[in-house]
């Protein structure tokens, strides 16, 4: 099963965000630039090993590349949001609205 096109978009976006050319990213990941370009364009199949190398280089999880979020980080955020709501939620809106 071919992953969502968003996987390829996330790979490209993170590469560009880190200021890496295709050639530099490929070199650092230990793959050829032709393969990396194929990953981003959709002509290269995404294997587990390839995704793992790319994720490691881009310093994100494979799960993030596949899903757009990391379940562990999301669960932590969700738990913190629930805890905050029990204590009245965030107060920054009230602080900004109150006169000094």
């Amino acid at each position: 099963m071919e992953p969502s096109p968003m996987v390829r978009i996330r790979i490209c976006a993170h590469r560009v965000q880190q200021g890496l050319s295709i050639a530099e990213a490929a070199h650092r990941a230990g793959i050829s630039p032709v393969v990396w370009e194929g990953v981003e364009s959709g002509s290269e199949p995404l294997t587990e090993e390839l995704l793992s190398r790319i994720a490691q280089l881009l310093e994100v999880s494979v799960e993030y590349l596949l899903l757009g979020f990391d379940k562990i980080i999301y669960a932590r955020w969700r738990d913190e949001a629930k805890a905050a709501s029990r204590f009245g939620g965030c107060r920054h809106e009230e602080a900004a609205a109150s006169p000094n």
Side-chain angles (χ1 to χ4, degrees), residues 1-50:
M1 178 177 169
E2 181 64 21
S4 158
M6 289 305 297
V7 173
R8 298 172 189 283
I9 291 169
R10 282 190 279 279
I11 290 169
C12 180
H14 278 277
R15 176 185 59 77
V16 170
Q17 182 181 27
Q18 292 183 18
L20 297 171
S21 67
I22 287 175
E24 180 63 23
H27 174 74
R28 290 185 185 183
I31 60 178
S32 78
V34 172
V35 169
W36 189 290
E37 190 168 349
V39 165
E40 290 188 10
S41 71
S43 63
E44 183 70 29
L46 289 168
T47 65
E48 191 174 323
E49 180 185 348
L50 189 55

Side-chain angles (χ1 to χ4, degrees), residues 57-93:
L57 170 75
L58 298 176
E59 298 177 344
V60 298
S61 67
V62 171
E63 184 175 52
Y64 169 77
L65 290 177
L66 292 172
L67 302 175
F69 65 92
D70 186 303
K71 288 181 183 177
I72 294 170
I73 293 170
Y74 174 77
R76 189 176 316 137
W77 171 84
R78 183 195 61 221
D79 294 344
E80 288 172 2
K82 284 180 183 177
S85 70
R86 281 188 232 129
F87 297 103
C90 297
R91 301 285 185 191
H92 66 278
E93 295 93 355

